[in-house]
């Protein structure tokens, strides 16, 4: 049985801002135990909804390039707690969708 949380392993080597890895892990925990939906479109909708729920931001409508979230501020550094929405739109969510596509076609 394929699980949505399997898509999150391994973690990317590059992030946009310091809050991004914490969002990645929070999303993985949020979908833990969910069976991978049968279509790529359904997976993509689920991942976007999960991001919206975890970060409290709608990627489709938010125009800011990044947002600050206290719950993702771990450690020091200028970007601690900042989530780079552009990276999530352009790289991180597409990576997860690509992984789902591979799982569903293989």
């Amino acid at each position: 049985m394929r699980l949505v949380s399997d898509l999150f392993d391994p973690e990317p080597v590059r992030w946009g801002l310091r809050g991004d890895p914490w969002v990645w892990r929070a999303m993985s925990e949020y979908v833990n135990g969910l069976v991978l939906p049968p279509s790529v479109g359904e997976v993509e909708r689920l991942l976007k909804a999960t991001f919206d729920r975890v970060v409290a931001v709608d990627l489709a409508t938010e125009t800011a390039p990044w947002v600050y979230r206290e719950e993702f501020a771990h450690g020091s550094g200028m970007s601690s707690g900042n989530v780079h929405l552009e990276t999530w739109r352009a790289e991180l969510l597409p990576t997860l969708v690509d992984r789902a596509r591979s799982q569903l076609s293989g």
Side-chain angles (χ1 to χ4, degrees):
M1 176 172 36
R2 296 180 177 134
L3 300 175
V4 178
S5 56
D6 294 339
L7 302 175
F8 290 85
D9 186 36
E11 289 189 353
V13 294
R14 280 186 19 175
W15 304 101
L17 292 170
R18 287 198 170 112
D20 293 338
W22 299 100
V23 172
W24 183 275
R25 293 169 195 143
M27 287 179 63
S28 178
E29 288 177 26
Y30 188 83
V31 299
N32 190 35
L34 290 180
V35 175
L36 194 64
S39 77
V40 174
E42 289 175 87
V43 173
E44 187 169 14
R45 283 188 291 281
L46 172 64
L47 291 170
K48 286 180 179 178
T50 300
F51 182 90
D52 292 355
R53 174 82 173 132
V54 167
V55 183
V57 167
D58 183 351
L59 282 174
T61 60
E62 179 58 59
T63 58
W66 56 269
V67 294
Y68 175 79
R69 295 294 180 261
E70 180 76 30
E71 63 269 30
F72 304 122
H74 298 274
S76 60
M78 283 180 52
S79 70
S80 180
N82 289 312
V83 180
H84 196 246
L85 305 180
E86 300 290 328
T87 298
W88 279 94
R89 285 186 195 104
E91 295 176 35
L92 300 175
L93 280 176
T95 294
L96 292 167
V97 171
D98 287 345
R99 290 177 182 181
R101 186 173 289 110
S102 294
Q103 289 285 322
L104 293 171
S105 66

